Amino acid sequence: MLSKLLLHHRRTDAVLPLPRSALWRALAGWMAILLCLGVYWFELSQTHQSQLDEVEANVRLRAEQTVHALALQVSTMIEKLDYLTLQLGESWLTEDERTFRRTVAVAQGALPEGAVVQVAIADERGEILFSSLVPAGATAAATKVSIADRPHFAVHLNRVEPALHISHPVLGRISGQWTVQLSRPVLRDGQIRGVIVVSVSADHLSQALREIFPDPADVALLLREDGAYIARSHLLEGVLGKKVPDDRSFLQDRAIRHGFYDVVAPVDGVERYYAWRRVPDRPLVVSLGLSKSAAMATVRDSVRSSGLYNLLTTAALLLAALWITRLFLLKSRQTAALAEARERLDFALQGGGLGAWDWNCVTGENRCNAQWARILGYAPGEAPPNFATWDTNIHPGDRDRVHAALDAHLRGETRQYHATYRMLRRDGETIWVLDRGRVVARDESGMPLRAAGTLADITERHAVELALDAERLRLTTLLQRFPGGVLMEDATGRVTIVNRGMCELLGVGDDPDALQGLTHEALCARIGPQRAAWLHVPDARRDGERRRSVELTDGDGRTFEIDWVPIMRDDAQLGRVWLVRDVSDRKQRETMLATLASTDALTALPNRRSFMSSLEAATAALRSNPGRQGVLLMIDIDYFKRVNDTYGHAAGDRVLCHVASLIRNGLRQQDVAARLGGEEFSALLLAVRLEDARLLADRLRARIAESSAEIGEGGGDGVTVTASIGLAALSSAGAEAVLRQADHALYAAKTGGRNQVRVYAGEQT
């Protein structure tokens, strides 16, 4: 049908022309006998340092990526508020106060509650002419409020261009709240007729940041480029009216667009890694600080996901659509009423930036208003009033699609014609438009006779939508790259986001689309009771928890770390997120490190630190139960240096292992043996009398003296050594005191001829 109409029109119309640390170098001076242990600790230290360095690098990278996204969101928000401010300023010039008050109310209603505190209009002298906080019927002048001394008013007096100004947070004289003033000059015929001020709540901006970064250990800042605080996710009241210190990198060189700094925040004393970025085309800086202590305490950092704001629909556009609908429904009124309605429609369309068209489907005549002509680059009355003027300016890449949408409506397949496409302005510039319309008259056979609609330039909005689509793609990519599983449910308990990692962990394949839309109960039934326990939802109203982290072990022995994070806005829960990571390898490393930290690497006996813990526990038990008995043995190999000098250190190590084996096998199961260092060993005998301990020590001394340690490769060579042993009874005086007494007895055994057992009996032992 459309092709027939186009063919008819083209017969009659002419076609128009489109770092590593060196801390462990001191280990080189250690005794040769401790070389193996020294090397081990050196390597362990290097491994830990490497892990910490990697965590720090990841934290900085996460902060940089997050602050980049945050800067784009802030840019989008400012663009929306700028557009709103501009439209309200134009509405003030064309509407009476009652109509303008309704326009402001609709605009505030389209924004999040509490975002805009006040909309005010001041005249050329700074006197308030209108305030949305002053009730209807009262005048703003009656409050005798002037903003002539406010920088956000004075900045526009010497400027002709209608630039948006973003002020320092100020305490409102009418609202009594801390707000950020977004102001624009109100121009008429190129002359300033006043200033419109939209007061945005600093607390609302901070709350928005706090919803993204709820943990007080992390902080997000919105600053002016001179360092003045505009919003802070936490402790906002401590920074309002203040600036960040002058040593911040973004205050030193305005040409730098982004960077990092590490400082202790003067507001809360928390040391953080900060990443900052300037907001494109705005005198604003977004800074994100991640707590250094929280980030470096563990190597299992998680990535928070950021929520995206929904697009705001402008009040002027809604009003314009309502006006258009109303005017079309009242088209049958008499001529005088229709003329008045058309005049009001022209004002509404001009305020909303909408172009109107009225197409005679039979003759091809297409009459458009002045705004429609301006959108396509024509002066009022210059655009030829025919269908071809519109059709030839459609971008060639979109023409077939637009024709298909219009043709479907002309055939009655759709209730309304609706298309978003590109158009070529008269000057060759490509713009994006939103075109909507409807057939308002048909003949008896259903053929369209007349259609009407509106055209709006949405180039800026389309750019914002592209930016939001890019952010959604980044979020999707981030979720798929997350080293674990991510599951998000909405407020009703239905799955909205799930990545392949979570699908694999839940054992349901690797297709996230198969889980999206399932209820929480249906998902739990599908994955089985064992994995359903992972998705337990804490009762936040009962135990007051806002988030929870747990570790669970499955039947295969794997350990999983599960974070449950509710998504909250004020007291309303908008959904919940589970983050699941397989930490089995880390748990195994922690167990191995704990074992290595308490064991002598050569003999596999407990080391000095582990043994001293056991000795301190035994002496502490005596203080609470004096009836308990116990004995400490100090054992030293006689003339061990001769073994090293004669046979070498490798043979010496075999002798140490041989003696350690004899000591370990010569004790009872409840006794504790250890290597304190070099050729010195010790044993803690529990629940034994001193006489019995002496007999055991003498049997152990004799076994050492009677056996030989094989040091040859074939097992043929053997070395025989003897040992001196000192005993001291356990007492409540403490571990160090008992150790000195046993060491004193050992000294007596060595000075008394070696290869003997001595018991401490005072300083004359």
Side-chain angles (χ1 to χ4, degrees):
M1 180 178 296
L2 178 61
S3 59
K4 294 179 181 178
L5 293 173
L6 289 175
L7 181 61
H8 172 73
H9 300 160
R10 286 170 182 165
R11 290 196 191 103
T12 58
D13 299 323
V15 178
L16 298 177
L18 195 335
R20 286 190 177 235
S21 170
L23 178 64
W24 301 103
R25 291 179 181 177
L27 293 176
W30 281 34
M31 298 172 59
I33 197 70
L34 299 175
L35 180 60
C36 292
L37 184 60
V39 170
Y40 161 73
W41 282 107
F42 178 78
E43 292 179 351
L44 181 62
S45 173
Q46 292 295 84
T47 300
H48 287 172
Q49 187 61 47
S50 296
Q51 292 173 343
L52 292 174
D53 290 345
E54 183 179 356
V55 169
E56 182 175 338
N58 287 336
V59 170
R60 292 186 187 279
L61 177 60
R62 182 179 59 153
E64 181 182 24
Q65 293 173 340
T66 304
V67 82
H68 185 197
L70 193 57
L72 291 176
Q73 291 181 352
V74 170
S75 178
T76 301
M77 177 188 69
I78 297 300
E79 287 297 330
K80 295 174 183 176
L81 290 172
D82 187 14
Y83 180 78
L84 176 65
T85 304
L86 179 62
Q87 295 304 314
L88 288 177
E90 292 179 356
S91 297
W92 170 257
L93 293 174
T94 60
E95 298 175 353
D96 57 35
E97 181 177 350
R98 181 176 179 182
T99 303
F100 182 69
R101 186 174 293 276
R102 288 199 301 267
T103 301
V104 171
V106 173
Q108 288 182 300
L111 294 169
E113 184 177 356
V116 175
V117 175
Q118 177 184 220
V119 175
I121 302 290
D123 62 13
E124 301 94 326
R125 300 184 304 277
E127 298 292 335
I128 296 297
L129 299 178
F130 171 84
S131 170
S132 60
L133 295 179
V134 176
T139 62
T143 63
K144 298 182 179 180
V145 174
S146 172
I147 61 171
D149 59 334
R150 295 292 201 186
H152 58 268
F153 172 81
V155 72
H156 298 294
L157 295 181
N158 298 322
R159 295 184 182 177
V160 176
E161 69 276 12
L164 179 71
H165 175 73
I166 303 174
S167 77
H168 294 76
V170 297
L171 186 61
R173 291 173 175 165
I174 296 178
S175 66
Q177 299 183 34
W178 282 94
T179 57
V180 179
Q181 312 300 322
L182 277 64
S183 61
R184 268 186 169 274
V186 178
L187 303 177
R188 175 179 287 166
D189 300 328
Q191 299 297 318
I192 295 179
R193 298 306 183 198
V195 172
I196 180 170
V197 181
V198 175
S199 302
V200 179
S201 171
D203 185 65
H204 175 81
L205 295 175
S206 299
Q207 176 64 25
L209 296 176
R210 189 157 56 250
E211 290 177 0
I212 303 175
F213 306 99
D215 191 345
D218 300 331
V219 64
L221 310 175
L222 179 58
L223 311 167
R224 281 172 51 92
E225 64 180 0
D226 60 1
Y229 285 96
I230 291 179
R232 194 179 195 272
S233 59
H234 300 281
L235 302 179
L236 173 66
E237 63 278 0
V239 300
L240 282 173
K242 299 179 181 179
K243 295 183 178 181
V244 297
D246 293 336
D247 58 355
R248 298 297 186 258
S249 55
F250 53 81
L251 297 177
Q252 305 299 316
D253 188 347
R254 299 295 175 86
I256 301 177
R257 305 304 302 171
H258 58 87
F260 302 92
Y261 60 92
D262 301 345
V263 296
V264 176
V267 178
D268 51 18
V270 177
E271 184 177 9
R272 298 184 177 93
Y273 298 111
Y274 285 87
W276 63 270
R277 181 173 288 273
R278 299 187 190 278
V279 176
D281 303 322
R282 301 293 177 185
L284 300 175
V285 175
V286 177
S287 180
L288 173 61
L290 300 181
S291 170
K292 187 172 184 178
S293 62
M296 302 305 291
T298 179
V299 294
R300 39 188 172 88
D301 295 329
S302 62
V303 178
R304 292 188 181 97
S305 58
S306 301
L308 299 176
Y309 289 110
N310 294 323
L311 288 174
L312 298 175
T313 304
T314 65
L317 186 60
L318 292 174
L319 288 174
L322 290 173
W323 275 114
I324 294 170
T325 303
R326 181 176 183 273
L327 291 174
F328 276 119
L329 294 176
L330 299 177
K331 67 182 184 300
S332 60
R333 284 187 178 180
Q334 36 188 299
T335 304
L338 181 59
E340 182 182 356
R342 285 179 177 174
E343 185 178 14
R344 290 205 303 265
L345 176 60
D346 287 340
F347 289 149
L349 292 173
Q350 183 179 357
L354 295 175
W357 50 268
D358 183 356
W359 177 35
N360 187 317
C361 304
V362 178
T363 66
E365 182 182 13
N366 186 29
R367 295 196 173 274
C368 308
N369 66 353
Q371 181 63 23
W372 191 96
R374 281 193 289 267
I375 291 176
L376 296 186
Y378 291 96
E382 186 180 3
N386 54 58
F387 185 86
T389 303
W390 167 77
D391 187 47
T392 56
N393 283 277
I394 300 176
H395 191 282
D398 296 336
R399 183 175 287 113
D400 291 344
R401 177 171 56 83
V402 175
H403 284 180
L406 181 57
D407 195 29
H409 180 65
L410 293 176
R411 292 195 302 267
E413 297 174 2
T414 59
R415 295 182 60 187
Q416 184 183 40
Y417 158 67
H418 184 286
T420 300
Y421 55 91
R422 294 167 291 179
M423 290 200 76
L424 301 175
R425 285 170 49 90
R426 192 182 187 188
D427 56 9
E429 178 186 359
T430 300
I431 61 173
W432 281 88
V433 297
L434 172 61
D435 198 6
R436 292 184 292 190
R438 178 176 297 177
V439 173
V440 296
R442 295 181 183 272
D443 62 15
E444 295 179 355
S445 63
M447 290 294 292
L449 299 177
R450 188 176 179 184
T454 60
L455 187 74
D457 185 345
I458 60 168
T459 305
E460 293 184 1
R461 192 181 81 181
H462 187 267
V464 173
E465 291 173 347
L466 290 178
L468 290 176
D469 288 340
E471 287 304 312
R472 294 189 185 98
L473 179 59
R474 293 188 185 100
L475 176 59
T476 302
T477 303
L478 179 62
L479 291 176
Q480 298 305 328
R481 294 284 185 176
F482 179 73
V486 179
L487 172 67
M488 181 182 296
E489 294 180 355
D490 60 18
T492 66
R494 290 190 178 272
V495 177
T496 58
I497 295 178
V498 59
N499 67 352
R500 288 188 175 87
M502 180 62 86
C503 292
E504 294 173 358
L505 291 173
L506 295 179
V508 292
D510 60 353
D511 184 11
D513 294 336
L515 301 183
Q516 289 187 357
L518 290 180
T519 64
H520 184 82
E521 294 75 13
L523 175 62
C524 290
R526 181 168 181 175
I527 64 179
Q530 180 179 0
R531 289 186 171 88
W534 297 3
L535 306 184
H536 169 67
V537 180
D539 190 348
R541 293 173 296 180
R542 183 191 66 194
D543 52 25
E545 290 194 36
R546 300 293 293 219
R547 63 177 294 164
R548 175 177 289 178
S549 296
V550 297
E551 288 186 358
L552 297 176
T553 303
D554 66 2
D556 298 330
R558 295 188 302 168
T559 302
F560 296 92
E561 180 184 74
I562 303 173
D563 287 337
W564 176 83
V565 184
I567 305 172
M568 305 292 293
R569 175 181 292 167
D570 298 328
D571 294 330
Q573 181 167 321
L574 305 182
R576 55 185 73 95
V577 177
W578 287 268
L579 305 175
V580 182
R581 293 175 293 276
D582 188 339
V583 295
S584 303
D585 292 342
R586 192 198 74 210
K587 284 295 183 180
Q588 292 176 359
R589 289 196 299 269
E590 290 175 353
T591 301
M592 181 183 67
L593 290 175
T595 300
L596 293 175
S598 61
T599 305
D600 177 64
L602 177 62
T603 64
L605 290 177
N607 59 19
R608 183 183 186 93
R609 184 174 65 180
S610 177
F611 181 76
M612 289 302 295
S613 297
S614 299
L615 182 57
E616 288 173 355
T619 56
L622 287 179
R623 287 193 287 270
S624 60
N625 190 355
R628 290 189 178 183
Q629 293 181 325
V631 179
L632 175 65
L633 277 62
M634 292 291 290
I635 308 168
D636 190 89
I637 301 176
D638 299 329
Y639 303 111
F640 182 72
K641 185 175 183 301
R642 295 178 183 177
V643 176
N644 283 332
D645 293 344
T646 303
Y647 302 102
H649 290 290
D653 288 347
R654 293 191 180 95
V655 170
L656 289 172
C657 292
H658 172 70
V659 172
S661 177
L662 293 175
I663 294 173
R664 181 169 51 243
N665 295 330
L667 299 180
R668 300 170 302 170
Q669 185 175 0
Q670 69 266 33
D671 300 333
V672 180
R675 181 187 177 200
L676 302 185
E679 68 275 17
E680 189 174 43
F681 298 85
S682 184
L684 176 61
L685 311 182
L686 302 174
V688 65
R689 297 180 304 170
L690 187 59
E691 296 79 4
D692 295 334
R694 181 185 179 93
L695 292 175
L696 186 150
D698 198 57
R699 287 197 301 272
L700 181 60
R701 177 201 59 75
R703 182 177 294 181
I704 294 173
E706 293 168 359
S707 64
S708 62
E710 296 179 356
I711 61 173
E713 294 295 334
D717 298 332
V719 174
T720 302
V721 295
T722 62
S724 299
I725 304 177
L727 283 71
L730 299 184
S731 69
S732 60
E736 294 294 339
V738 175
L739 194 64
R740 286 196 303 270
Q741 294 170 3
D743 194 58
H744 186 78
L746 175 63
Y747 178 75
K750 297 182 76 68
T751 58
R754 293 182 169 83
N755 192 22
Q756 56 183 274
V757 177
R758 289 290 183 92
V759 178
Y760 177 78
E763 298 299 324
Q764 302 301 321
T765 299

